[in-house]
Amino acid sequence: MNIFRAAIVVLSVFWAMNAQAAADANAGKEKAGVCAGCHGTDGNSANPVWRKRAGQHADYLAKQLADFKSSKRNDPIMVGQSAALSDADMANLGAFFASQKTSAGSADKEKVALGEKIYRGGNSASGVAACIGCHGPTGAGNPMAKFPALSSQHAAYTEKTLKDFRSGARANDAGKMMRNIAAKMTDEEIAAVASYIQGLH
Ligand code: HEC
Ligand code: HEC
């Protein structure tokens, strides 16, 4: 009898875990109402400092929200925005924004040559790794490897976040992957690659 009861308990735990694992984009859409003021209703923010959320990998989005909530990643606005979100909310929000299409942007003609050089080949003299190695030829990233999508992102956001990695203000990258790269980049290289990424899709 006890074994039978224990089996039921174990089974119901599995059922509960399965229910949680299946993220619900519709529930995420409802939660996303409060995000719209800054990130846009479909995650394509109009204001360039508010990161476009559309088309990003669901797990990457959920990780960023969890990092803001635990203050592993600091931003006065987002730490507040994520405080009341549960793990399920974060997974649902990730699923919703991942299902939206990113709006295309364009690169600044003056900066595109240097930006493309860095993105595709890095800078061997200073040891900057080529972005393409992890973020892919079109900036789609690689969800299995947890490399986020960058395509069409606002240049101003990319520039800010690369400078935050460089100064250590943003330090939530596993194995310091991005901090080590940004540390070797000049302001000019950061601005150029950010502009190139805005036109990449
Ligand atoms: C008042 C404006 C505002 C609101 C409302 C807001 N955000 Fe943000 N969000 C920001 C800003 C600013 C940043 C950039 C933070 C930084 O520079 O590190 C950001 C960053 C993010 C990031 C990380 C971006 C990345 O690519 O790593 C995620 C994910 C995010 N927001 C999701 C949400 C969600 C989900 C909601 C709603 C629950 C929301 N935000 C509500 C302003 C806002
Ligand atoms: C070795 C793999 C690797 C290489 C090479 C790499 N990145 Fe990354 N990048 C990552 C990972 C992993 C993250 C996610 C960090 C996190 O979890 O917060 C990231 C995050 C980013 C972000 C933040 C995205 C967002 O939405 O906030 C930007 C911007 C970025 N990388 C730009 C670049 C640029 C530009 C280069 C080339 C100069 C580059 N990366 C090279 C692995 C890499």
Side-chain angles (χ1 to χ4, degrees):
M1 190 61 193
N2 275 340
I3 288 176
F4 187 64
R5 270 209 200 123
I8 288 184
V9 169
V10 169
L11 273 179
S12 35
V13 167
F14 277 127
W15 281 320
M17 279 167 52
N18 269 335
Q20 235 180 21
D24 180 345
N26 281 328
K29 186 178 182 180
E30 271 169 39
K31 276 270 165 193
V34 291
C35 326
C38 297
H39 295 286
T41 43
D42 62 354
N44 283 300
S45 56
N47 185 321
V49 296
W50 295 329
R51 207 227 184 269
K52 285 187 190 175
R53 295 268 39 88
Q56 186 54 278
H57 312 142
D59 288 349
Y60 174 78
L61 290 171
K63 172 190 182 281
Q64 299 306 313
L65 290 169
D67 286 352
F68 282 126
K69 187 176 176 181
S70 67
S71 292
K72 240 176 111 180
R73 179 172 173 186
N74 283 306
D75 179 75
I77 297 174
M78 282 310 303
V79 167
Q81 288 291 325
S82 56
L85 299 175
S86 66
D87 290 352
D89 292 337
M90 294 181 198
N92 295 343
L93 282 161
F96 167 65
F97 285 121
S99 72
Q100 302 298 301
K101 215 175 156 332
T102 319
S103 56
S106 59
D108 178 340
K109 288 193 183 67
E110 309 259 299
K111 296 179 182 158
V112 75
L114 176 62
E116 180 167 24
K117 198 169 147 235
I118 298 285
Y119 191 89
R120 305 205 165 258
N123 180 343
S124 51
S126 59
V128 175
C131 323
I132 197 171
C134 296
H135 295 287
T138 61
N142 179 342
M144 297 303 285
K146 301 188 176 9
F147 300 145
L150 305 178
S151 333
S152 308
Q153 185 54 257
H154 293 303
Y157 171 81
T158 301
E159 194 169 339
K160 174 184 182 287
T161 216
L162 287 172
K163 286 182 174 168
D164 284 350
F165 279 129
R166 186 172 67 181
S167 70
R170 177 168 172 186
N172 67 331
D173 51 328
K176 292 194 174 181
M177 253 182 277
M178 281 309 303
R179 273 172 288 170
N180 287 337
I181 292 170
K184 299 179 185 125
M185 295 181 81
T186 64
D187 284 355
E188 194 194 2
E189 287 173 333
I190 287 179
V193 84
S195 175
Y196 177 72
I197 286 168
Q198 182 167 285
L200 186 67
H201 51 85

